[in-house]
Every structure is written in structure tokens, then in C-alpha cells.
Amino acid sequence: MADTPLDLTSDAAALTAQLVDFPSESGGEKPLADAVEAALRALPHLTVDRYGNNVVARTDLGRTERVILAGHVDTVPIADNVPSRLDEDGVLWGCGTCDMKSGVAVQLRIAATVPAPNRDLTFVFYDNEEVAAHLNGLGKVAEAHPDWLEGDFAVLLEPSDGQVEGGCQGTLRVLLRTAGERAHSARGWMGSNAIHAAAPILRRLAEYEPRRPVIDGLEYREGLNAVRIEGGVAGNVIPDACTVTVNFRYAPDRSGEEALAHVREVFADCGVEEFVVDDHSGAALPGLSHPAAAAFIEAVGGTPQPKYGWTDVSRFSALGVPAVNYGPGNPHLAHKRDERVETAKVLACEERLRAWLTA
Ligand SMILES: [Zn+2]
């Protein structure tokens, strides 16, 4: 219920249910952010800051390393799946169970129950992750208070099915424009066809062999693909313009600038008239060789997996903090009407993090 305080003495599974029953669709996070802030302020070992509906809490024990545990408190729109429901198999159903109130519950439980961790801890609870990137609360905090996000290593408790997902690939979208000259198609020789001029671009894309680099033991898979093509004026006109939209998903051993230079080079001799960068989000290195990360992998077990899609770990990477995704939900169930999480996995995630931070 949206006006009951959060009870951090209940275990992470029960706390997940409380959080799910506290609706917080993107843009409507304030009541939940208030409740999170109030619950954290009641813990004397934490210093709490707030910026908008983003809450950051930290220990200050003078440890040699600082670890960040981060999660978003918003959900996609509710689909008749709140309040939550726990079935007889220990599966908790409801909006946000998987993405990612189970992860947030684990963060809150660690905040409440590990007052003297072996590494200093920063807990970040942020809003507007499920909507446009410019609204993202983690991005806003990074811009206004980058010092709040200082640390040696960050764990985002996004659903990853209890596996460590390292880094993430970058994504670059460019528009490649070709030019021609309009003419009546009955006298095509009077003009020049911009759609035909795109043929070298398409051939280059079809022949492109993407890399599969191994970084920190993880194999990434790049991809260079046309995702849209636009051209043509009318059924009887030789077109004078054509645009091929190309998406480059690149591994985190390339900087944003290097990725851009690579794409320019690939199409350098393809007759591109105009090259426009439409959208660009950088990659994030997995950083698994950092001592704090290595200790984390050892404590939680399993084989780390590469993250092909773009995630908020990249925002930490941009601040110089290596980051991974590690959370109890199954990512394939995120955003679904029948979204759910196995409570045993939520409890296991809490236990593993506690073991890592108290060893
Ligand atoms: Zn999420």
C-alpha cells in the first residue's frame, strides 16, 4: 500500500511484495522514493542524499574500496498485475517483481542488515529508467552530483537471472545519404538515381564481417546493420535522395570516437554524400579484472556473461566506474503481463551479496 512505511526487517522476498504493492510507474515514483528515503534515514549508519526522486545512501567507514549497488524504482505501466500475488510454488507475480523491485528489495535489505560491510557501500535508487534516456534519474545524478557516484565497482541489480553480466556494447546510429538528380523516369538518362547510388553501401554491409573480441574473458559480438532505408519521390521520378540508416553495435574495447571512425572508414569509398550521427550511446568495459569485481565474481559464482544490449552500466563506465548487472529476476519476464520472480532466487541473491560484503 502506498502509504505504509517499508518494513526492512522482512526478508527480500516479502520486501519485494511490499515494493510491488507500492505502484511506481515511470513519472509517478515520488511516493515510493519518499518511502525509500524515510526507511534509509532511519538507519544510523547511512548518510542519505536526495535529488529529485533519486535517493543515494552511503556508509563512511574509511574502507579502501567503495562499491555501488544501484537500481531503478520505476516500472513500466501496470497491466492488471498489482497487487502482487505469491503462489504455492513460491513464485511472486506482479508488475516489477522481476524488473526490478526484487533487485531493489535486495539493495534495501543489504542497506538495513550490513551496517559494517568490508567495503564502503553506496546505494543508489533512481527514477525514470523505463522511459526516454534524457529523463533517466541515474543520468541526472551523474550530471548534478557525480561525486555521489564515486566508487571502485558498481553492481546494477537489473534482472540477469542470478548471472553476472559484464559491461555492455555501445550503439551508434548513422544516416548515410546519397544524392542524385531528379528526372522524368521516361527519360532516366537525364538524371541520376540516388537509390542506385546506395548500392555500394548495401554491398559493404552485406559483406561486413563483425568482430567477436574477447575482453576480460567475455566474448562480445559486434554487428553493423542497415535498419532502415528511405528514398523515392514518385512513381515516375528518378529520385535525387536516399538515406540508409545504419546501426553499429560495438564491443567495449572501442571508444565512442573509435567506433565512429570505424564506421566512417567502412563507408569511406561508397559514395556517401552526407554522413550524419543520429544517436550514440557508449559501451562499458566489464572491468572484471578489478580486484573488487574479481572478489564479487568469486563470491556469487557462475560464469560471467557479456551484455550485448545497452544498459545503465554504461553510465557508470562513463564516470570511470566498472559495472556489472546482477539481479534475481529472469530478464525474459521483464515488462510482461505475467511478470514474476522466484522468491528463492531473490533470497539467494541477498545471501550472496551479503556473503561478498561481509567476508
Ligand atoms: Zn530494469
Side-chain angles (χ1 to χ4, degrees):
M1 300 298 266
D3 45 6
T4 357
L6 298 173
D7 176 11
L8 303 193
T9 64
S10 38
D11 67 34
L15 187 53
T16 303
Q18 287 180 53
L19 292 168
V20 171
D21 297 345
F22 214 125
S24 58
E25 294 177 14
S26 307
E29 300 92 335
K30 186 177 181 301
L32 181 53
D34 290 347
V36 167
E37 182 186 0
L40 294 172
R41 284 204 189 275
L43 302 168
H45 62 280
L46 295 176
T47 310
V48 181
D49 287 303
R50 176 155 174 171
Y51 178 65
N53 287 326
N54 306 291
V55 181
V56 177
R58 66 180 61 229
T59 62
D60 274 301
L61 299 162
R63 304 286 196 245
T64 51
E65 284 177 350
R66 177 172 291 280
V67 163
I68 301 167
L69 302 181
H72 62 85
V73 298
D74 63 319
T75 68
V76 295
I78 289 166
D80 285 330
N81 51 0
V82 166
S84 60
R85 178 174 64 84
L86 181 66
D87 71 17
E88 59 277 11
D89 299 320
V91 176
L92 185 71
W93 300 69
C95 181
T97 45
C98 162
D99 186 10
M100 56 165 286
K101 287 181 167 175
S102 48
V104 170
V106 170
Q107 285 178 265
L108 288 169
R109 282 289 293 161
I110 298 295
T113 62
V114 187
N118 52 14
R119 297 166 173 89
D120 267 310
L121 296 178
T122 301
F123 300 91
V124 182
F125 302 87
Y126 61 100
D127 68 353
N128 282 320
E129 191 274 343
E130 300 287 8
V131 285
H134 71 277
L135 297 172
N136 185 293
L138 186 60
K140 301 240 183 224
V141 173
E143 224 174 83
H145 299 285
D147 51 310
W148 292 2
L149 302 180
E150 276 169 15
D152 298 287
F153 178 58
V155 178
L156 264 117
L157 284 97
E158 287 277 9
S160 72
D161 215 9
Q163 302 228 51
V164 178
E165 294 178 337
C168 76
Q169 297 206 128
T171 176
L172 167 64
R173 202 166 58 228
V174 297
L175 310 178
L176 306 180
R177 298 208 164 107
T178 58
E181 194 188 335
R182 285 194 197 189
H184 196 298
S185 60
R187 291 175 295 278
W189 62 88
M190 307 286 289
S192 107
N193 193 314
I195 294 179
H196 297 185
I201 297 171
L202 301 179
R203 193 173 310 120
R204 190 59 51 84
L205 283 163
E207 289 166 356
Y208 185 81
E209 286 189 27
R211 294 186 316 146
R212 296 171 73 157
V214 175
I215 305 161
D216 276 0
L218 307 186
E219 187 190 58
Y220 287 83
R221 299 192 67 161
E222 295 192 328
L224 184 69
N225 288 283
V227 290
R228 176 183 291 270
I229 185 161
E230 287 171 296
V233 178
N236 56 358
V237 177
I238 301 299
D240 59 350
C242 177
T243 302
V244 182
T245 304
V246 169
N247 183 210
F248 183 38
R249 297 283 174 154
Y250 60 92
D253 59 342
R254 297 189 201 262
S255 69
E257 275 170 23
E258 287 165 350
L260 187 55
H262 175 69
V263 174
R264 280 189 195 280
E265 194 192 315
V266 167
F267 299 106
D269 55 352
C270 292
V272 174
E273 193 71 22
E274 199 187 356
F275 184 105
V276 181
V277 177
D278 188 37
D279 187 51
H280 196 177
S281 299
L285 281 165
L288 300 182
S289 48
H290 189 282
F296 170 74
I297 306 292
E298 202 182 306
V300 301
T303 309
Q305 304 294 316
K307 187 74 182 172
Y308 299 123
W310 193 89
T311 79
D312 273 339
V313 299
S314 174
R315 295 184 195 275
F316 282 108
S317 187
L319 294 168
V321 183
V324 299
N325 282 316
Y326 173 74
N330 176 342
H332 298 132
L333 298 173
H335 302 189
K336 289 173 72 93
R337 189 179 285 270
D338 58 350
E339 184 174 348
R340 58 195 183 274
V341 73
E342 291 171 46
T343 53
K345 290 203 168 159
V346 184
L347 298 176
C349 179
E350 178 186 352
E351 274 324 301
R352 290 191 186 131
L353 284 187
R354 183 177 291 109
W356 170 50
L357 295 168
T358 57

